[in-house]
């Protein structure tokens, strides 16, 4: 098993490299880079897209040379544009810039944000706890509810309980997470109905003056709605997966043999069926966590005004803050690959008969 884990860890390097190569290449063809963003802010537009989608006069080319490469640069001295290029490192060829970036990443040097004047690693470490909070709590709650519910639905397959819970699950699966989050805000966060939960943030203004118990209560008070909104879709998918997995195992021959030996239904279910049925549930853990952490975090963090890494990456992409863009992409990719390795370890923990090294051989 140790050799297998080592190989998986080594595979992280080419996989991350491939992710970075593809995204770096795509960014080269996207209009409105950091130079255009700086020009837009300098001219008071505040948004590079206004210069790209503006009138013909805004993008009219004045003369040949460096100014011709950038929208909205008419009237600015070429020396100023060249200085901006040097400032953002865009005066070098793309291949050289990419190799320099990856060399710096190997040394854990993620550079500095173009527009925030703060280190990217410092920014990521500052925002990461918010996204991890959403991802871990949402996944944990989904598993705690979905597994018992899925088992009960499998045992009572076809009953009234199974029918009405399936209807609720389908509604929850079909309901977009962002729409559910807005409904929660309207109902419980000072919308048209009740002011029960806070509208934004992870802590209150008086956090430092609270006792330890008060801080814990304040923390859960703030994350209740975001976690609930981000876990609803995962809860629906995981419940149906658990039910179907248990139904497949219950119909197998070894279950009939166990019952014939006189074992109770509980012994059969949790002593034999549970271990085999849970394998596929564990296999879905990485995709579930990654989906909540990566996909859902951007929308949920924006709606609930949470300053997490998903929102940081989105704002960096809009503002063309390349160091932050690629820094968050690197962190996202690394976490996703590490979670996949953890999933394999959980496979072996639940069923020691699984031998990845033998299968690869």
């Amino acid at each position: 098993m140790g050799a297998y884990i080592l190989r998986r860890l080594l595979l992280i390097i080419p996989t991350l490299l491939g992710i970075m190569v593809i995204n770096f290449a795509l960014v080269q063809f996207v209009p409105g880079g950091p130079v255009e963003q700086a020009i837009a802010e300098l001219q008071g537009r505040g948004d590079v897209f206004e210069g790209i989608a503006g009138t013909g006069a805004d993008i009219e080319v004045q003369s040949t040379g460096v100014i011709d490469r950038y929208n909205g640069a008419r009237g600015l001295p070429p020396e100023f544009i060249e200085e901006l290029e040097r400032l953002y490192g865009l005066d070098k060829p793309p291949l050289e810039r990419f190799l320099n970036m990856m060399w710096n990443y190997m040394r854990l040097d993620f550079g500095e944000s173009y527009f925030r004047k703060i280190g990217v690693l410092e920014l990521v470490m500052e925002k990461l706890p918010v996204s991890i909070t959403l991802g871990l709590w949402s996944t944990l709650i989904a598993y705690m509810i979905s597994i018992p519910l899925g088992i009960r639905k499998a045992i009572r397959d076809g009953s009234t309980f199974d029918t009405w819970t399936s209807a609720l699950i389908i509604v929850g699966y079909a309901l977009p997470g962002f729409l559910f989050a807005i409904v929660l805000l309207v109902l419980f966060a000072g919308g048209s109905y009740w002011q029960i939960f806070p509208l934004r943030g992870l802590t209150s203004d008086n956090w430092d003056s609270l006792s330890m118990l008060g801080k814990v209560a304040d923390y859960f008070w703030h994350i209740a709605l975001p976690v609930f909104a981000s876990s609803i879709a995962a809860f629906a998918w995981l419940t149906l997966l658990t039910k179907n997995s248990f139904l497949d195992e219950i119909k197998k021959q070894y279950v009939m043999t166990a019952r014939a030996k006189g074992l109770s239904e509980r012994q059969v279910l949790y002593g034999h069926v549970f271990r085999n049925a849970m394998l596929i549930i564990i296999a879905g853990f990485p995709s579930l966590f990654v989906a909540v952490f990566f996909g859902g975090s951007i929308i949920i963090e924006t709606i609930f005004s949470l300053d997490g890494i998903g929102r940081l990456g989105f704002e960096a992409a809009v503002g063309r803050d390349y160091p932050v863009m690629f820094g968050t992409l690197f962190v996202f990719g690394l976490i996703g690959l590490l979670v996949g390795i953890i999933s394999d370890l959980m496979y072996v923990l639940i069923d020691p008969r699984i031998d990845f090294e033998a299968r690869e051989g």
Side-chain angles (χ1 to χ4, degrees):
M1 189 64 185
Y4 171 78
I5 295 176
L6 179 61
R7 284 195 297 270
R8 287 291 302 272
L9 290 173
L10 292 177
L11 278 174
I12 289 179
I13 299 174
T15 305
L16 268 179
L17 181 62
I19 293 172
M20 301 303 294
V21 166
I22 293 174
N23 284 273
F24 186 87
L26 290 175
V27 164
Q28 307 311 307
F29 300 98
V30 177
V35 173
E36 286 95 331
Q37 183 70 31
I39 293 172
E41 294 182 358
L42 181 66
Q43 296 178 346
R45 295 196 302 268
D47 191 345
V48 66
F49 298 106
E50 294 182 17
I52 297 173
T55 63
D58 289 333
I59 60 175
E60 181 182 352
V61 177
Q62 182 185 15
S63 62
T64 59
V66 67
I67 294 179
D68 298 348
R69 297 200 299 269
Y70 300 107
N71 294 320
R74 183 168 58 89
L76 295 175
E79 296 79 8
F80 176 74
I81 303 300
E82 291 175 352
E83 181 61 29
L84 284 178
E85 286 186 331
R86 284 193 295 270
L87 177 64
Y88 299 135
L90 300 177
D91 56 330
K92 301 180 179 66
L95 179 58
E96 183 180 350
R97 285 190 279 120
F98 177 77
L99 293 177
N100 289 337
M101 181 183 71
M102 295 309 300
W103 171 247
N104 290 331
Y105 281 10
M106 290 174 59
R107 298 178 297 163
L108 297 180
D109 180 9
F110 294 91
E112 186 177 270
S113 169
Y114 284 160
F115 306 109
R116 303 195 186 200
K117 303 304 179 185
I118 185 174
V120 174
L121 186 59
E122 184 179 347
L123 267 176
V124 171
M125 296 306 295
E126 178 184 338
K127 314 298 183 184
L128 193 58
V130 176
S131 296
I132 290 181
T133 292
L134 288 178
L136 285 181
W137 280 114
S138 299
T139 305
L140 180 61
I141 290 175
Y143 269 78
M144 291 177 62
I145 297 176
S146 299
I147 291 178
L149 180 59
I151 294 174
R152 186 169 180 83
K153 284 174 64 62
I155 296 174
R156 303 181 60 178
D157 183 41
S159 65
T160 304
F161 171 80
D162 181 45
T163 302
W164 69 261
T165 52
S166 294
L168 292 177
I169 288 171
I170 292 173
V171 171
Y173 186 77
L175 188 66
F178 74 90
L179 181 59
F180 189 66
I182 293 173
V183 171
L184 292 177
L185 284 178
V186 172
L187 291 178
F188 304 110
S192 303
Y193 296 90
W194 303 282
Q195 176 69 59
I196 300 177
F197 296 97
L199 184 61
R200 58 175 57 88
L202 281 182
T203 57
S204 300
D205 294 336
N206 62 338
W207 166 265
D208 294 332
S209 62
L210 296 175
S211 63
M212 181 59 66
L213 184 60
K215 289 182 178 180
V216 172
D218 183 75
Y219 169 75
F220 283 106
W221 182 48
H222 279 78
I223 69 169
L225 293 186
V227 168
F228 191 28
S230 61
S231 62
I232 186 68
F235 152 76
W237 170 80
L238 188 58
T239 300
L240 294 178
L241 180 64
T242 303
K243 176 192 173 182
N244 294 331
S245 178
F246 269 81
L247 283 177
D248 289 341
E249 292 296 326
I250 287 174
K251 297 175 182 178
K252 291 184 177 180
Q253 184 65 40
Y254 74 89
V255 176
M256 299 178 60
T257 302
R259 287 171 175 167
K261 290 182 177 179
L263 296 180
S264 66
E265 194 65 22
R266 185 177 183 85
Q267 289 175 320
V268 171
L269 187 63
Y270 292 101
H272 296 274
V273 175
F274 184 81
R275 171 177 291 182
N276 296 326
M278 284 299 295
L279 289 176
I280 191 172
I281 311 301
I282 294 171
F285 174 82
S287 61
L288 178 62
F289 177 79
V290 169
V292 174
F293 183 79
F294 295 164
S297 63
I298 298 176
I299 300 175
I300 299 300
E301 287 171 12
T302 301
I303 292 176
F304 289 96
S305 300
L306 300 176
D307 201 8
I309 195 171
R311 188 178 177 187
L312 173 67
F314 173 74
E315 292 176 349
V318 173
R320 299 299 190 265
D321 196 343
Y322 289 165
V324 178
M325 280 178 57
F326 292 118
T328 54
L329 176 66
F330 186 86
V331 172
F332 277 175
L334 181 61
I335 290 177
L337 293 171
L338 290 176
V339 167
I341 298 176
I342 293 174
S343 175
D344 289 347
L345 294 178
M346 294 175 67
Y347 260 128
V348 177
L349 180 63
I350 288 185
D351 192 347
R353 296 172 298 176
I354 295 178
D355 189 349
F356 289 105
E357 293 184 4
R359 291 178 63 184
E360 288 188 351

